[in-house]
Amino acid sequence: MPGNLQVFNIAVVALQYSLVILLYYFLYRVVKIAIRDMASLAFNNMEKPDIYKKSEANQNLSAAKLVVIEDTQQLLSTTCFTITDNLTIGRSQHNDIIIDSSFVSHEHACISKLKHNYLIADLNSTNGTLVNNQPIEEETALTDGDIIQIGAVMLKFER
């Protein structure tokens, strides 16, 4: 009986030390992420030369948009879509662009604005997303004139 009680006490102490170690590891990760975020904020807020400020001002004058260049099955109701911060494309009704086709996933792709660039990401769709006839595997930066193909619909990215 006394031997069992001693083993139990050792197990409890080991669990307490494990909990303390996990707590310190968690705090370490939180501090590391906070420092990385603050460093990226400081980098983003650095003063830029005037030449960059002028080009950014010109880019902000016109909003980015997607223009339908091919929709043989008449799946879209509009021929031009303005992109604000985020734009989702898919078959579900909660998407910004709804393409009612069995070749399009419910949540197919997303276009998001990051600083002054627009990125497109395939949301693990079944049939994939093509940019300039190339399948995308990860977030890809869009440039003016890029052709996006989702199912039977082709869209042109314009800035």
Side-chain angles (χ1 to χ4, degrees):
M1 201 68 166
N4 289 339
L5 189 57
Q6 189 177 15
V7 170
F8 178 74
N9 285 338
I10 292 173
V12 168
V13 170
L15 287 173
Q16 288 174 341
Y17 281 118
S18 299
L19 181 63
V20 169
I21 290 170
L22 285 173
L23 181 63
Y24 278 121
Y25 178 71
F26 173 76
L27 290 175
Y28 164 76
R29 297 290 295 178
V30 168
V31 169
K32 185 177 176 182
I33 290 171
I35 289 171
R36 186 180 63 201
D37 286 348
M38 286 189 289
S40 70
L41 283 175
F43 180 74
N44 292 341
N45 292 334
M46 287 176 43
E47 194 64 31
K48 296 179 183 175
D50 289 336
I51 189 168
Y52 292 117
K53 290 179 184 176
K54 290 177 184 175
S55 67
E56 287 174 1
N58 291 339
Q59 287 180 351
N60 290 334
L61 292 177
S62 63
K65 59 186 173 183
L66 292 177
V67 178
V68 178
I69 57 173
E70 187 176 317
D71 183 12
T72 56
Q73 298 174 354
Q74 301 297 313
L75 299 171
L76 297 172
S77 58
T78 313
T79 59
C80 186
F81 300 93
T82 302
I83 304 171
T84 53
D85 289 333
N86 288 318
L87 182 118
T88 57
I89 305 168
R91 194 171 44 187
S92 292
Q93 295 299 313
H94 68 271
N95 289 298
D96 299 310
I97 300 177
I98 301 167
I99 304 173
D100 191 17
S101 169
S102 60
F103 291 102
V104 177
S105 298
H106 289 282
E107 283 100 24
H108 196 99
C110 177
I111 298 175
S112 56
K113 184 176 181 180
L114 180 65
K115 297 180 186 174
H116 300 290
N117 295 319
Y118 288 89
L119 305 173
I120 185 167
D122 184 78
L123 303 176
N124 295 320
S125 64
T126 304
N127 294 316
T129 303
L130 303 177
V131 174
N132 298 326
N133 291 322
Q134 299 296 320
I136 59 171
E137 302 294 325
E138 55 189 27
E139 276 191 324
T140 303
L142 291 171
T143 57
D144 189 35
D146 280 349
I147 305 297
I148 302 165
Q149 183 174 352
I150 297 176
V153 175
M154 293 181 81
L155 306 158
K156 182 178 181 182
F157 177 77
E158 294 182 354
R159 290 217 41 163

